[in-house]
Amino acid sequence: MVRASDPLLVGLLDDAALFPPGSAPMAEGLAAHAEYRVSTWADAVGPFLCPASRIDELLAVLPQRAGAVGATAQVPLALAMVLDVGGDGAHQALRAAATATAVNLVAVEVAYEHLSDDAAAVGANIARALPGCTGVLEVPRGGFDQALDLLGTPGWQVAKYRTGGMTADAFPTEAELAAFLVAATSRGVPFKLTAGLHHAVRHTTAKGFEAPGVLNVLVATRTAQAAGGTAEVAATLAERDADVLVEAVRSWDSTAGADVRRSLRSVGCCGVTEPLDDLRTLGLFDDGEL
């Protein structure tokens, strides 16, 4: 079994509690995140994601939540800011987060479709103003080559691909997601996946949506790295037999696991305990009770 401190699992799940479908109130989301940070699964949980439009709210609530958990009060919150506003609103939010002692701004995420021709200039600004911050560029669902070309240029280190949402058509098909995984790994572009990955194995949600699982994307990433074609990667994303996926992960040595995570940097999830509970139930990861 793999523990939370194993490189395969460390920082795998970014805490998107504020985003749909969870849409937690700020105080509730921060309180839960503080509990994760002192749990036995703390190493598996990445930064707290916050829309730029809500940064003032976060900074107002955060001291209260930090004080409630005692010893963690002096530890800055690892924060990934999602730019949902532009212009002066974005600049003010970035300035507030970058100068606040209560947070450590580790990443800035923005959709390419909101930047287009300005993407290179915005990346250069991020690199200059926030040199220790990871720039995450969300690429389009299809026709993403132009956006991927920016990865590795100043400011943009990680691609982001949306794997779900609030409607059935927000979920890419296996072939669409496979095409992205093949394109990113063939270019050596690290990436994160966001939305829809609430469980370990591909399943049909209560609303009837077809959703991949965290194990599917881990194994599919390894398949893509091994020069698997789009059809082979898509078949892995479509796999519903948990035993097949678990056996694949158990066959990896530490090098293979590290290689997978060099490509798949993280998964954004509004309920990080859900996939962790699944993985523990499957007997793959075991690190005590959350």
Side-chain angles (χ1 to χ4, degrees):
M1 291 185 183
V2 179
R3 301 186 73 79
S5 57
D6 187 279
L8 181 63
L9 195 58
V10 168
L12 178 62
L13 294 159
D14 293 345
D15 189 351
L18 302 183
F19 294 83
S23 302
M26 183 66 73
E28 182 180 310
L30 287 171
H33 188 79
E35 293 298 327
Y36 301 153
R37 298 256 49 93
V38 296
S39 75
T40 55
W41 283 83
D43 288 341
V45 181
F48 188 80
L49 280 81
C50 181
S53 60
R54 298 183 67 184
I55 188 62
D56 289 341
E57 180 188 1
L58 179 142
L59 293 176
V61 172
L62 185 58
Q64 304 169 32
R65 298 315 315 163
V69 292
T72 65
Q74 302 304 314
V75 180
L77 173 75
L79 176 69
M81 182 182 292
V82 181
L83 293 184
D84 61 337
V85 295
D88 289 343
H91 290 299
Q92 292 169 7
L94 287 169
R95 189 178 305 113
T99 57
T101 58
V103 304
N104 176 24
L105 184 62
V106 298
V108 175
E109 304 186 3
V110 61
Y112 175 77
E113 66 180 6
H114 294 159
L115 302 176
S116 190
D117 293 341
D118 295 329
V122 171
N125 288 338
I126 292 173
R128 182 178 60 256
L130 302 167
C133 192
T134 298
V136 182
L137 185 63
E138 181 177 336
V139 305
R141 179 165 164 175
F144 40 64
D145 286 343
Q146 189 171 1
L148 285 179
D149 286 342
L150 289 168
L151 273 298
T153 64
W156 300 123
Q157 293 88 32
V158 177
K160 176 179 173 181
Y161 191 84
R162 191 160 295 276
T163 49
M166 297 299 290
T167 60
D169 60 6
F171 289 79
T173 65
E174 294 96 325
E176 287 175 319
L177 179 52
F180 169 75
L181 296 179
V182 169
T185 55
S186 66
R187 292 167 178 253
V189 170
F191 55 88
K192 73 169 286 185
L193 303 176
T194 191
L197 296 166
H198 295 283
H199 293 284
V201 179
R202 189 171 190 88
H203 62 287
T204 304
T205 72
K207 292 185 177 181
F209 306 158
E210 292 298 312
V214 171
L215 279 181
N216 292 94
V217 297
L218 285 168
V219 179
T221 298
R222 186 60 176 167
T223 302
Q225 289 176 332
T230 301
E232 185 179 358
V233 174
T236 301
L237 293 169
E239 182 61 65
R240 291 174 177 266
D241 188 333
D243 291 340
V244 171
L245 299 171
V246 168
E247 185 59 32
V249 174
R250 282 180 172 159
S251 72
W252 298 345
D253 58 18
S254 58
T255 300
D259 284 345
V260 169
R261 292 301 309 284
R262 269 191 285 271
S263 288
L264 177 55
R265 293 298 176 85
S266 66
V267 170
C269 184
C270 67
V272 298
T273 60
E274 294 171 334
L276 291 175
D277 279 337
D278 278 3
L279 294 173
R280 183 172 54 219
T281 298
L282 291 171
L284 186 56
F285 300 124
D286 183 11
D287 213 14
E289 293 297 323
L290 284 167

